[in-house]
Amino acid sequence: MSTIFEKIISGEIPAEILQQDELCLVIRDIDPQSPTHLLVIPKKVIPRIGNAQKEDQATLGHLLLVAAEVAEKEKLEAGYRIVINNGSDGGETVPHLHVHVLGGRPMKWPPG
Ligand code: AMP
């Protein structure tokens, strides 16, 4: 069964797509946890970072570069946080790898 992100990638479900390229797309999170909350999602189905393979190295690097690029476009010059949740203890709810970009407010440490 395909995940919500696969359905967004295929166009089956609408989302606010900020940008996309051959490897990934960037959408706004539907339930934002900060004033700016973006998701960078690879088009390739990788369930979670723990399942990534050596062959995914370029895609993984690309996701982080795109995360920094969209953070700049969203004018998060005061800073932002990049999060990847892995597995149930990590808070993962959608089993399709995605990078959260959170900004627009000061973040706390340690995270909850
Ligand atoms: P995670 O808990 O790390 O797996 O993150 C999944 C994220 O996807 C959550 O922050 C959700 O709010 C977000 N999400 C779920 N469905 C959608 C959707 N249709 N459009 C945008 N974001 C979504």
Side-chain angles (χ1 to χ4, degrees), residues 4-5 8 13-16 27-33 37-39 41 83-87 90-100 102:
I4 190 98
F5 292 162
I8 288 171
I13 287 180
E16 189 183 342
I27 64 171
R28 288 199 193 279
D29 197 292
I30 203 167
D31 181 23
Q33 301 302 308
H37 186 172
L38 312 176
L39 301 173
I41 306 171
V83 172
I84 299 176
N85 295 323
N86 189 97
E92 173 200 309
T93 58
V94 179
H96 180 125
L97 178 65
H98 48 282
V99 175
H100 295 261
L102 298 139

Side-chain angles (χ1 to χ4, degrees), residues 16-21 24-29 35-41 61-83 98-104:
E16 189 183 342
I17 299 175
L18 276 71
Q19 66 181 60
Q20 64 177 314
D21 58 29
C24 70
L25 77 171
V26 181
I27 64 171
R28 288 199 193 279
D29 197 292
T36 301
H37 186 172
L38 312 176
L39 301 173
V40 186
I41 306 171
H62 184 70
L63 298 179
L64 292 180
L65 289 173
V66 168
E69 183 187 324
V70 291
E72 189 179 352
K73 280 187 183 163
E74 292 284 310
K75 305 193 186 318
L76 300 178
E77 57 272 330
Y80 53 91
R81 180 167 291 172
I82 287 175
V83 172
H98 48 282
V99 175
H100 295 261
V101 180
L102 298 139

